[in-house]
Amino acid sequence: MSLAPSRPTPRPAPATAPFARTAAVLSFTALLATGQLYGVIPLFAAMEDDWGAGRTTLTWMVSVFGFGYVAGFLLFGPLSDRFGRRRVVVWGVAATTLTTALVATAPSLGSGLALRALQGLTIGAFPPVAMAYVGERVEPRRRLVTLTAMTTGFLSAAVLGQLAAQGLAATVGWRAFFLFGAVAFAVAAVALHRVMLPDPPVGGRSPLDAYRAMPALLVSPRLRRLYLATLTVLGSFVAVFTGLELSGVDGLLGLRAAALPVILAIPFLTPRLARLPGPHRVGAALALAAGAVALAGLLEPGTAVLAVLLIALTGGIAIAAPGLVDTVGTRAGDARGPAISLFTAVLFLGASIGPQIAGPLTSHGFAPLAYVLAGLLLSGSLLAASTASAARR
């Protein structure tokens, strides 16, 4: 597990990773990683009592983690080209054991924000590097299913992370959420080391090559509209759940749990969904999500109808995210590693901005927030669908 770079030697053909074990461990770690992003939302009330900070201010506990997360994507994705995918993932997740435990010790909001940013930075080593690993080491016909399983882990964290945090805060206090999380990350680090294939020799590649490639990828005609669409995906998703929390909607526990079945069903539907070209699939999924959010604002429904609309929103997001990463990775060619690092950075940059959109807009009720988010999702839908012609060039 040394971080010393491999010596330049002839590179053998990479072995194929075991599908079931790889998908299971990566999905579990994805659940833990993003569970730390979403899990803070139900803790606002307890943190408010402990620290004396207002709930709108406490939304920064979500955002600073997200900003650290994004910085980790951009830092560690290219570094994994130099030091190897498994090394970077395992060391990053192991370090998150410590940074997560430290958040539980925070005596004030200021220190909590600093530690949350550090926590986001260390676990930022996981998503882009794991996605690049899947693209290189998983059998091609299993790749989309594995990416979808990982995405399911990221998205189910929106439900399971909040449910775990809500339950722990009610029984043993909000700090326990981070202590239990630290133990889980330690388990994940060991599992990743055992399941991921050893890193092949990487031939002395410089991370600077990947960093230099990123600005060109952002403005590439084949990718730039996909990146803009990506910004709306988790940004809207996190903003909806933050807005519901800030609005004091009744039955939040049931609303969070209602979305879980559709998240878990998406990987099983992936072979059928894959028949539709990526841009069209993403466009349709984001349009579905936009319609669900718009109806939630327009109808201001009761708990049962709101649960159905949240299921539709969650389904749209769960289809769109893996469709985007698959399309971006395919179009990036040899620049797959930095392109996916950028994708995950943009995805969670949106998630970091989402709570700051929700904060001011929910002061006027949930409806204004819903209309703004529906417009953003519809824009993302149109942007993604409009890239279909780029695949034929």
Side-chain angles (χ1 to χ4, degrees), residues 11-343:
R11 188 170 185 172
T16 301
F19 165 65
R21 286 186 295 152
T22 299
V25 173
L26 293 182
S27 300
F28 172 68
T29 310
L31 169 63
L32 294 179
T34 309
Q36 290 295 314
L37 174 74
Y38 296 112
V40 173
I41 297 173
L43 303 180
F44 288 165
M47 289 178 168
E48 183 179 25
D49 292 339
D50 199 354
W51 290 339
R55 293 198 188 187
T56 300
T57 303
L58 284 166
T59 61
W60 284 102
M61 287 291 286
V62 182
S63 295
V64 297
F65 176 92
F67 293 141
Y69 209 20
V70 168
F73 300 160
L74 298 176
L75 173 64
F76 293 113
L79 284 178
S80 72
D81 288 340
R82 173 68 167 170
F83 296 109
R85 311 295 188 206
R86 187 173 75 162
R87 289 185 186 92
V88 170
V89 163
V90 171
W91 280 102
V93 174
T96 307
T97 299
L98 175 61
T99 58
T100 303
L102 287 173
V103 177
T105 69
S108 65
L109 176 61
S111 59
L113 291 172
L115 291 170
R116 282 283 286 173
L118 181 61
Q119 182 194 23
L121 179 68
T122 56
I123 195 55
F126 173 73
V129 181
M131 287 181 179
Y133 175 86
V134 171
E136 294 167 352
R137 309 302 290 270
V138 172
E139 189 179 357
R141 67 189 180 92
R142 303 281 197 180
R143 259 175 221 160
L144 182 57
V145 175
T146 307
L147 287 172
T148 303
M150 275 187 67
T151 304
T152 298
F154 288 130
L155 292 176
S156 62
V159 178
L160 295 177
Q162 292 185 72
L163 290 175
Q166 188 170 337
L168 288 168
T171 54
V172 288
W174 67 264
R175 297 176 190 272
F177 173 68
F178 298 103
L179 294 175
F180 277 91
V183 173
F185 279 121
V187 172
V190 173
L192 287 163
H193 185 256
R194 290 184 176 181
V195 169
M196 294 179 73
L197 298 176
D199 295 312
V202 291
R205 288 174 291 176
S206 171
L208 293 177
D209 294 337
Y211 294 130
R212 283 191 286 262
M214 287 182 179
L217 289 169
L218 275 176
V219 299
S220 165
R222 294 168 61 84
L223 295 174
R224 62 190 176 200
R225 282 175 287 175
L226 290 171
Y227 284 134
L228 286 172
T230 299
L231 194 62
T232 71
V233 176
L234 287 189
S236 300
F237 193 61
V238 175
V240 165
F241 281 98
T242 304
L244 291 172
E245 178 74 26
L246 296 176
S247 300
V249 173
D250 292 331
L252 270 178
L253 181 64
L255 290 172
R256 288 171 179 136
L260 186 59
V262 70
I263 295 174
L264 297 177
I266 294 299
F268 299 99
L269 299 175
T270 296
R272 293 181 181 275
L273 295 171
R275 297 172 186 173
L276 191 66
H280 295 309
R281 186 165 73 249
V282 172
L286 291 180
L288 171 65
V293 175
L295 285 173
L298 180 64
L299 301 177
E300 297 186 0
T303 302
V305 176
L306 182 57
V308 172
L309 294 174
L310 288 177
I311 288 171
L313 165 67
T314 303
I317 298 299
I319 293 168
L324 279 165
V325 69
D326 187 51
T327 305
V328 167
T330 299
R331 292 190 182 178
D334 292 340
R336 183 183 184 92
I340 290 179
S341 292
L342 276 176
F343 165 81

